[in-house]
């Protein structure tokens, strides 16, 4: 089983090809490379796909989340209720606003915010709630929104990983990003399902929020360069407030539009591979596949497995054994509160978050993964039993 010839099975692999390369080439040769017509086209396609009235492209999801909180008025002295159990950008964007992230523990089965613990974290200083659809698994938005409404707080969805994921609203399935809170923010980093190299998107139903995102992503410039470029008379722009340079380029957007067209096929294959893992893992004692709540249809941006005491190896031993067998894995999602940048503000009591990081392993899953490679990973997992 442990042949040295076998190439390493990666944890993930962006699905990019000739079509994306051709689209980037066209953008470069068009002579307009920064935010322009291709960004507009990508925004329209994205908004249509998720069912959002407005979609605003930015440089990445970190800048998207920062812009969302900033425009919702989060500032120095404020608090944002969120999770520690996430990529560190989730906590960092709260700090960018001069505010403090207040961490709520996760549901150990879904790795998502435990709605029952939100209320206790709310104080008079709370300005927003920011749940994460972690690894593409929709969080319990109905429960989060119920708490938010009781306290009159806006909800910003960190949907970095959740393009194509769906949640049940009444009897209907809706895509993450309609949005269901005030704003949803997506990432197009290569580790996510749709990539533009780097990139991000904010979606909202509120035209006022959208207009503010558009203004502030481009230095709060009153007249965008595209308008001045097309104008018949000279126009001078103004800068009514301090903005940011959070633009996406037309080269990125050109790639994104191709990726979005290919997304249904990419999703179908990911779900097929994930469901196969889930079926096989059910026959391996001690390994627990991801729990999918009734209201959720995940895109399986990652495939997390909990390693319990019934498995003969610890999580770390399993990761080492897989590495020796040329199978790349990653540990569970990190916790911001366990990093030096946040630890000093503690103590924190987040036992489910800590257990999730330390007993979970992410298995390889990507569009071009062959059945044979997946069989090999499963065989390695079974081999220890
Ligand atoms: C990847 C990720 C981000 C950051 O996205 P970037 O586009 O890399 O800035 C934020 N939150 C979560 C949950 C993520 O997984």
């Amino acid at each position: 089983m442990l042949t040295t010839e076998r190439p390493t099975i990666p944890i993930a692999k962006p699905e990019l090809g000739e079509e994306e390369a051709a689209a980037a080439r066209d953008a470069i040769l068009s002579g307009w490379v920064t935010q322009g017509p291709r960004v507009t086209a990508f925004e329209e396609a994205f908004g249509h796909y998720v069912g959002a009235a407005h979609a605003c492209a930015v440089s990445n999801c970190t800048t998207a989340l920062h812009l969302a909180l900033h425009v919702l008025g989060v500032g120095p002295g404020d608090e944002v209720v969120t999770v520690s159990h996430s990529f560190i950008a989730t906590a960092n964007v709260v700090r960018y606003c001069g505010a403090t992230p207040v961490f709520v523990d996760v549901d150990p089965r879904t790795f998502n915010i435990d709605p029952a613990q939100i209320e206790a974290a709310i104080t008079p200083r709370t300005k927003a709630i920011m749940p994460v659809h972690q690894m593409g698994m929709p969080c319990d938005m109905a429960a989060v929104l119920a708490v938010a409404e009781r306290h009159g707080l806006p909800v910003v969805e960190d949907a970095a990983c959740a393009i194509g994921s769906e949640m049940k609203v009444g009897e209907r399935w809706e895509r993450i990003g309609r949005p269901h809170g005030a704003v949803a923010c997506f990432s197009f980093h290569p580790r996510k399902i749709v990539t533009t190299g780097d990139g991000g998107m904010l979606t909202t139903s509120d035209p006022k929020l959208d207009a503010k995102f558009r203004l502030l992503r481009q230095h709060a410039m009153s007249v965008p360069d595209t308008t001045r470029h097309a104008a018949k008379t000279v126009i001078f722009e103004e800068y009514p407030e301090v903005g940011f340079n959070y633009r996406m380029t037309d080269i990125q957007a050109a790639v994104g539009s191709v990726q979005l067209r290919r997304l249904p096929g990419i999703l179908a294959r990911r779900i097929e591979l994930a469901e196969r893992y889930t079926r096989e893992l059910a026959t391996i004692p001690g390994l627990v596949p991801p729990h999918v709540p009734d209201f959720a249809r995940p895109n399986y941006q990652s495939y997390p497995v909990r390693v319990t005491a019934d498995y003969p190896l610890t999580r770390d031993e399993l990761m080492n054994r897989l590495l020796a067998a040329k199978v790349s894995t990653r540990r569970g999602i990190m916790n911001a509160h366990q990093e030096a940048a946040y630890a000093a503000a503690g103590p924190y009591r987040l036992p489910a978050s800590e257990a999730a990081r330390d007993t979970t392993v992410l298995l390889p899953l990507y569009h071009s993964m062959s059945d044979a490679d997946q069989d090999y990973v499963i065989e390695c997992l079974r081999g220890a039993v």
Side-chain angles (χ1 to χ4, degrees), residues 59-63 65 86-87 89-90 132-134 158 160-161 186-189 192 198-200 301:
S59 49
N60 55 65
C61 185
T62 308
T63 54
L65 290 165
S86 184
F87 182 59
T90 308
V132 181
H133 303 295
Q134 195 54 261
D158 182 341
C161 302
F186 293 86
S187 171
F188 308 122
H189 180 270
K192 324 297 186 188
D198 261 310
Q301 179 268 337

Side-chain angles (χ1 to χ4, degrees), residues 71-90:
V71 167
L72 288 169
V74 176
D78 293 336
E79 293 175 353
V80 174
V81 173
T82 186
V83 286
S84 168
H85 189 60
S86 184
F87 182 59
I88 197 153
T90 308

Side-chain angles (χ1 to χ4, degrees), residues 3 75 135 220 223 253 286 313 325 380:
T3 64
M135 297 178 273
V223 185
L313 303 177
C380 291

Side-chain angles (χ1 to χ4, degrees), residues 18-83:
E18 290 296 340
E19 240 194 299
E20 284 84 353
R25 184 176 191 277
D26 286 349
I28 289 165
L29 296 179
S30 78
W32 191 281
V33 285
T34 190
Q35 180 183 292
R38 285 173 174 81
V39 165
T40 305
F42 182 41
E43 289 171 339
E44 279 169 11
F46 192 95
H48 186 258
Y49 178 77
V50 300
H54 306 280
C56 175
V58 289
S59 49
N60 55 65
C61 185
T62 308
T63 54
L65 290 165
H66 176 219
L67 202 51
L69 294 180
H70 178 78
V71 167
L72 288 169
V74 176
D78 293 336
E79 293 175 353
V80 174
V81 173
T82 186
V83 286

Side-chain angles (χ1 to χ4, degrees), residues 1-8 326:
M1 186 169 95
L2 310 181
T3 64
T4 44
E5 271 84 309
R6 158 180 281 288
T8 297
K326 297 199 152 188

